[in-house]
Amino acid sequence: MKIKVDWDKCTGMGMCESLAPDVFEVDDDGSLILHAEEVPDGQEDEVREAVAACPTEALSLES
Amino acid sequence: MTHLVVVGASLAGLRAVEAVRGDGFDGTVTLVGAEEHLPYDRPPLSKEYLAAEECPDPRYREHATFADDLDVELVLGTPASALDTSARTVTVGDRAIPYDGLVIATGAHARTLPGTEGLAGVHVVRTLDDAIGLRGALRDGNRKVTVVGAGFIGSEVAAVARSLDLEVTILEAMDTPLVRAIGERMGRALTRLHERHGTEVRTGVAVDEVLHHDGGVRAVRLGDGTELDTDLLVVGIGAQPTTGWLEGSGLTVDDGVVADARLAAAPGVYVAGDVARWPNALFDDVLDGPMRLEHWTSAAEQGRYAARNAVDPENAKVYETVPYFWSDWYASRVQFVGVAAGDHVEVVAGDDADGGPFTALYRAHDRIVGALAVDMRAEVMKYRRLIGKREGWDAALALAAERREQAAAKAAEAAAATAAETAQDGANA
Ligand SMILES: Cc1cc2nc3c(=O)[nH]c(=O)nc-3n(C[C@H](O)[C@H](O)[C@H](O)COP(=O)(O)OP(=O)(O)OC[C@H]3O[C@@H](n4cnc5c(N)ncnc54)[C@H](O)[C@@H]3O)c2cc1C
Ligand code: SF4
């Protein structure tokens, strides 16, 4: 599964990071760093939670 | 389970119906909402929606999404007026809608100042219609804006009004704003953000009377007798859970609908969002009872939990969370995770004396229970994880030290790069 970010929507809330820190990290200036393009094995649930938790609906998954 | 009914068509209600449909639930789903509007996002209403030149569309989904993708019957424009838990019906207008599972997500509504009903120039911000009204008023040539209540929503509106170059005064009854939400020291720190931007904050003042003229607000009279002229009065004195329609239902209502750890309020009845009061097991050692949040994130999450539990009560899951909310003041982003309880607040990065940037941690029972950050977006979510794992205070301080080292290394690197560039420029000259 691939992680897609709508960069226009992301406002650097960091909810995604708090749920799946291996994949998402917010920088000091509020920009999102994507540590993995593909959902790492065994982290499907965490990443799904992160996608659902984003307040701006900036994240989605593509199979 | 054949019929899920969700009452309240906002964030929690939307996430409720989306969750069960996403899981493949194939029964009937009905979503009842008092407002005419399709579900829409509230946080922008006191921020971008008021500030932006071009009004963003705050609706989450189109009509077709409900009809085609989600197969949800929308019943909009009339509030549910009664719940019968023994017959398992919800009354909407003259219709009694039967349910097998019910999610109550009727949220909260804005508190108003008594005696201001129908007065022109007096605004609250809770609904899209409220925001449309205030957006217009802020651009109608009004000069003086008075905000009653220095809470988050009042503060956001004040910040927008200042950005439109209006004269803004905030009146707060307590001696320190936001004491209950973030504690005294941090309440003072955030107040400095207002002062830095030319918004006057008067604390410890009571509004005795709203004076009007020709059906419009003219001034407010304070407890000490002073009169403060104003063109607009924005009332930001909090919200009350919308539970009036549940009178006689037999549910326990106590500043919200009281539910158990699985969000169940009665057999088949689950609650979600701003209306829900439930025991958050993660903080059972610091809170003295069930909690009610008015935060976007928990409303979205509870919507999903409540609906899944309602359609599959045998496997109902416990909901616990590290609360999170954000707020935008001027160009600053305020973020808070956890609960503002405990015996000590420590600023671990930056300086709170001038309103930030800074990060502060909250300690209770020698563990970290909360974190507040102003303009330090990389910080607070790292602490959210620690709070969720019930980590000790030492672990939080160790992370803070590590973060400071990383920041120092980064700053040194940046300085070296600048120096090298300057040297290069010098050599080229
Ligand atoms: C202006 C504003 C700014 C905010 N900013 C932030 C922020 O920056 N960060 C953050 O974390 N949170 C913020 N919030 C809070 C967040 O928006 C709420 O927590 C969230 O909207 C709660 O969702 P809800 O679905 O539980 O309730 P609500 O959004 O209150 O929706 C409840 C819905 O139920 C309907 N309803 C009520 N009674 C009935 C009835 N009897 N029958 C049918 N329908 C009924 C109402 O009309 C309403 O549409 C903000 C809220 C507001 C108002
Ligand atoms: S939660 Fe959403 S808005 Fe926040 S950083 Fe992640 S993707 Fe961006």
Side-chain angles (χ1 to χ4, degrees), chain A residues 11-21 25-31 46 48-49 51-57, chain B residues 14-15 18 41 60-61 296-297 300-301 304-305 308 324 326 333 335 375-379 381-382 384-385 403 410:
Chain A
T11 63
M13 291 284 180
M15 273 309 289
C16 51
E17 174 179 348
S18 77
L19 296 162
E25 187 174 3
V26 172
D27 208 350
D28 293 318
D29 62 1
S31 54
E46 282 163 66
R48 248 189 261 280
E49 282 290 312
V51 169
C54 171
T56 62
E57 302 193 331
Chain B
L14 172 72
R15 293 305 177 99
E18 286 187 336
D41 202 22
Y60 292 113
R61 307 283 180 266
W296 194 100
T297 298
E301 288 174 350
R304 290 190 278 142
Y305 273 76
R308 288 184 170 139
Y324 166 60
W326 75 96
R333 168 147 298 170
Q335 291 172 293
D375 291 329
M376 286 204 163
R377 299 184 193 210
E379 302 306 310
M381 289 304 171
K382 298 190 167 67
R384 186 173 193 253
R385 286 185 74 77
R403 296 292 300 163
K410 231 175 157 180

Side-chain angles (χ1 to χ4, degrees), chain B residues 160-395:
Chain B
V160 171
R162 275 303 294 151
S163 73
L164 296 170
D165 221 15
L166 306 179
E167 235 176 89
V168 186
T169 306
I170 300 178
L171 306 174
E172 168 58 48
M174 309 275 265
D175 289 328
T176 311
L178 295 167
V179 170
R180 240 176 313 146
I182 55 171
E184 189 157 340
R185 178 173 171 191
M186 291 300 118
R188 277 200 302 274
L190 290 198
T191 304
R192 253 163 252 133
L193 279 176
H194 284 308
E195 292 162 354
R196 228 158 75 182
H197 290 87
T199 298
E200 190 187 355
V201 183
R202 293 208 200 171
T203 56
V205 294
V207 173
D208 263 10
E209 200 184 346
V210 177
L211 307 171
H212 46 92
H213 175 72
D214 269 353
V217 62
R218 176 177 69 75
V220 287
R221 184 157 47 232
L222 306 180
D224 64 2
T226 25
E227 277 184 24
L228 201 67
D229 288 345
T230 195
D231 300 320
L232 293 178
L233 190 66
V234 178
V235 181
I237 54 175
Q240 273 168 313
T242 307
T243 52
W245 68 285
L246 294 167
E247 224 168 88
S249 67
L251 298 186
T252 308
V253 173
D254 177 13
D255 185 30
V257 180
V258 180
D260 68 12
R262 294 181 169 78
L263 303 174
V269 180
Y270 293 79
V271 297
D274 287 11
V275 76
R277 181 170 287 281
W278 97 113
N280 187 355
L282 258 180
F283 298 96
D284 51 8
D285 56 336
V286 270
L287 300 173
D288 44 19
M291 76 190 306
R292 187 174 71 79
L293 295 169
E294 291 180 5
H295 303 342
W296 194 100
T297 298
S298 48
E301 288 174 350
Q302 288 173 348
R304 290 190 278 142
Y305 273 76
R308 288 184 170 139
N309 290 352
V311 300
D312 188 9
E314 256 96 82
N315 297 305
K317 288 203 176 66
V318 166
Y319 177 69
E320 54 175 40
T321 192
V322 181
Y324 166 60
F325 68 84
W326 75 96
S327 185
D328 295 333
W329 301 25
Y330 311 94
S332 289
R333 168 147 298 170
V334 178
Q335 291 172 293
F336 184 86
V337 293
V339 294
D343 51 17
H344 177 63
V345 175
E346 183 148 330
V347 174
V348 295
D351 184 1
D352 62 325
D354 195 32
F358 69 87
T359 301
L361 307 182
Y362 295 68
R363 180 184 74 191
H365 303 304
D366 210 37
R367 68 172 176 120
I368 173 173
V369 293
L372 172 76
V374 176
D375 291 329
M376 286 204 163
R377 299 184 193 210
E379 302 306 310
V380 28
M381 289 304 171
K382 298 190 167 67
Y383 295 105
R384 186 173 193 253
R385 286 185 74 77
L386 294 192
I387 299 167
K389 291 194 275 184
R390 286 183 177 248
E391 292 278 1
W393 184 245
D394 286 348

